[in-house]
Amino acid sequence: MIIKRYIVDNMNEAMIKIRYELGNEAVIVSQRKIREKGIKGFFRHKKYEVTAAADDKPKKNNEEIIKKDELRNEMDELKSMMANLLSKQSEVVDNTKKSKGKKLTINKKLLENDIPDEIIEDIYSKVKAKGGKNLRTNSKQFEEEVNNIIKNIIKTDTGINGRVHVLIGPTGVGKTTTIAKLAGLYSLYKNKKVGLITIDTYRIGAVEQLKIYANILSAPFGVILTVKDIPEVMKTMEDCDLIFIDTTGRNSKNAMQVSEIRQYIDALKPDGIHLVLSMTTKCKDIKRIANDYKIIKYTSLILTKIDETDTCGSILASLYYANVPVSFLTTGQNVPDDIQEAKTEKLFNLIMGAEQ
Ligand SMILES: Nc1nc2c(ncn2[C@@H]2O[C@H](COP(=O)(O)OP(=O)(O)OP(=O)(O)O)[C@@H](O)[C@H]2O)c(=O)[nH]1
Ligand SMILES: [Mg+2]
């Protein structure tokens, strides 16, 4: 409450001042006639002392009040316009979120399975090139087109064609174990006479490792120390239907080591050169390995350690970057059971995370 005292000549003046300073709502609390003190005051007009009161802050004048009211109205209008705009905007955001959510269904599947962005982009541009330009990425049709393109990338080979097969690849991916599995599969289940050879004399114990499997299977076994040994060792295997040759695991970044393997392969002239890749390898590394090993013209892929990974984007990456069919998958350490011929449907399900 504000209380203010005015000394005025008349009540009219008092009302103007009070309205101006305290606003329309102000009330006059008291009024009385007064004279100024002293002799001078005796000869002057009487004055009025008016006391007025108003609530809180003084409302200066009508004009200001009107302006304030106008401002308030404008503010209210603006507020309701903003609210309108915001609700429309959030509708748009909601719709975008919803469509993104749907769009993510196929995109999410690809990303969740660690399929490299580069491959996803290529698949999407292929869908568009095939006439899917106007397809929404969240539509069923778009998803079907993506699936078809992935199935087209997947190529499988019926396995072992021809007589002599070499397994190559990075260190520790499972080359020797896979040779033992293949030898077991073909000798025990397919009644083939299988011979085993190793040219891996680099790693301690590597010869022994394969020799043990050869002994278990009663398969002929040979060791190639130099390129010159090849004809002689191959002669000892003349009666074999199938010959599997193990090689030293090589870091593909070392071009010298890779070309050393190539010298042996050029001399061996095998029917199949199988690049063994572990599916626990990062897709970026798969790309590099697949490219580095291209100087040895590998004819197929053997994908190992499928059991050790939850995401099989590495399968698609291997197929995409190597551009040769997959012949076998290995799914564990058990010799010879944990191996199977590659089948498109199985690979597709693994890539899309529908199968573990
Ligand atoms: N979980 C799992 N382990 C595997 C698979 N294949 C091989 N291994 C294991 O991987 C390890 C390496 O296997 P090796 O056969 O010696 O690999 P490599 O490629 O011959 O190795 P280097 O000769 O040293 O280059 C062994 O412990 C195998 O039992 C598989 O499919 N799944
Ligand atoms: Mg080995």
Side-chain angles (χ1 to χ4, degrees):
M1 170 81 72
I2 298 167
I3 297 170
K4 212 163 173 187
R5 200 167 62 96
Y6 298 92
I7 307 291
V8 289
D9 289 325
N10 52 53
M11 283 309 287
N12 211 19
E13 187 192 348
M15 293 310 287
I16 291 168
K17 281 188 172 167
I18 290 166
R19 291 252 160 83
Y20 185 76
E21 284 182 29
L22 299 181
N24 273 348
E25 314 296 317
V27 288
I28 292 167
V29 179
S30 67
Q31 62 178 89
R32 66 185 175 105
K33 286 183 187 160
I34 53 163
R35 272 186 203 277
E36 279 187 76
K37 282 177 186 163
I39 197 114
K40 273 189 201 166
F42 193 73
F43 296 104
R44 292 225 170 126
H45 286 301
K46 278 183 197 157
K47 296 225 169 200
Y48 291 88
E49 184 195 71
V50 182
T51 307
D55 269 337
D56 284 324
K57 283 172 195 160
K59 289 169 190 157
K60 287 191 172 165
N61 59 19
N62 275 346
E63 228 177 75
E64 213 168 19
I65 290 160
I66 291 162
K67 268 186 190 165
K68 270 187 183 169
D69 283 345
E70 278 173 3
L71 263 175
R72 197 171 293 131
N73 286 343
E74 274 175 20
M75 286 285 285
D76 287 344
E77 257 176 56
L78 271 171
K79 269 186 198 165
S80 83
M81 273 167 68
M82 285 288 285
N84 244 340
L85 266 173
L86 282 173
S87 84
K88 274 188 188 152
Q89 203 179 14
S90 67
E91 245 172 59
V92 172
V93 171
D94 269 4
N95 288 341
T96 320
K97 267 189 196 160
K98 271 180 213 159
S99 68
K100 259 191 186 168
K102 276 187 189 163
K103 177 182 161 186
L104 277 181
T105 53
I106 182 67
N107 211 25
K108 202 175 160 193
K109 240 187 237 175
L110 303 178
L111 290 171
E112 271 181 356
N113 286 294
D114 269 350
I115 295 170
D117 289 351
E118 182 183 32
I119 300 180
I120 297 178
E121 276 163 28
D122 187 35
I123 292 171
Y124 280 18
S125 66
K126 279 184 180 135
V127 173
K128 283 185 180 149
K130 272 181 73 186
K133 235 178 199 164
N134 299 322
L135 283 180
R136 276 179 297 117
T137 42
N138 60 356
S139 66
K140 191 85 202 129
Q141 217 184 325
F142 189 87
E143 185 169 346
E144 273 165 20
E145 291 293 344
V146 168
N147 290 346
N148 287 338
I149 287 165
I150 291 177
K151 281 181 186 162
N152 274 337
I153 298 173
I154 299 172
K155 289 187 183 68
T156 56
D157 200 335
T158 43
I160 302 299
N161 309 305
R163 195 171 157 259
V164 180
H165 295 271
V166 185
L167 272 67
I168 58 169
T171 58
V173 290
K175 296 178 294 298
T176 309
T177 314
T178 303
I179 284 195
K181 288 173 183 172
L182 286 170
L185 182 73
Y186 280 88
S187 64
L188 301 174
Y189 298 109
K190 299 194 179 189
N191 271 331
K192 300 280 182 198
K193 184 163 173 55
V194 175
L196 300 181
I197 296 173
T198 185
I199 54 175
D200 183 8
T201 51
Y202 176 82
R203 192 170 57 79
I204 296 165
V207 173
E208 274 310 298
Q209 193 186 353
L210 195 64
K211 195 174 178 186
I212 290 167
Y213 289 122
N215 286 342
I216 294 169
L217 296 167
S218 305
F221 177 72
V223 180
I224 293 171
L225 292 171
T226 66
V227 174
K228 282 188 209 143
D229 298 336
I230 291 173
E232 196 183 319
V233 176
M234 292 304 278
K235 212 163 190 302
T236 64
M237 306 263 163
E238 262 177 354
D239 60 339
C240 289
D241 304 311
L242 279 172
I243 300 167
F244 291 110
I245 303 169
D246 196 9
T247 60
T248 313
R250 289 303 191 198
N251 173 359
S252 74
K253 285 194 215 168
N254 190 327
M256 277 275 286
Q257 290 184 348
V258 177
S259 50
E260 196 188 317
I261 302 264
R262 185 183 159 182
Q263 284 173 21
Y264 284 91
I265 288 176
D266 286 348
L268 280 161
K269 297 189 177 55
D271 299 294
I273 305 169
H274 309 269
L275 176 63
V276 183
L277 294 173
S278 163
M279 291 303 91
T280 58
T281 311
K282 286 189 285 231
C283 290
K284 202 173 169 196
D285 292 332
I286 284 178
K287 179 180 181 177
R288 178 181 44 76
I289 295 163
N291 286 331
D292 290 348
Y293 269 98
K294 272 182 183 158
I295 60 156
I296 304 174
K297 294 187 174 57
Y298 53 84
T299 55
S300 94
L301 296 174
I302 294 177
L303 307 181
T304 63
K305 306 196 185 186
I306 303 268
D307 56 303
E308 280 194 33
T309 180
D310 289 330
T311 54
C312 287
S314 44
I315 295 180
L316 190 64
S318 305
L319 280 154
Y320 185 86
Y321 296 120
N323 201 23
V324 293
V326 179
S327 53
F328 289 93
L329 305 178
T330 78
T331 53
Q333 291 180 296
N334 296 316
V335 177
D337 292 339
D338 292 338
I339 190 162
Q340 50 189 271
E341 281 184 13
K343 296 271 184 285
T344 304
E345 205 56 33
K346 165 98 183 174
L347 289 173
F348 178 77
N349 289 339
L350 283 167
I351 291 165
M352 302 307 276
E355 204 175 306
Q356 288 300 317

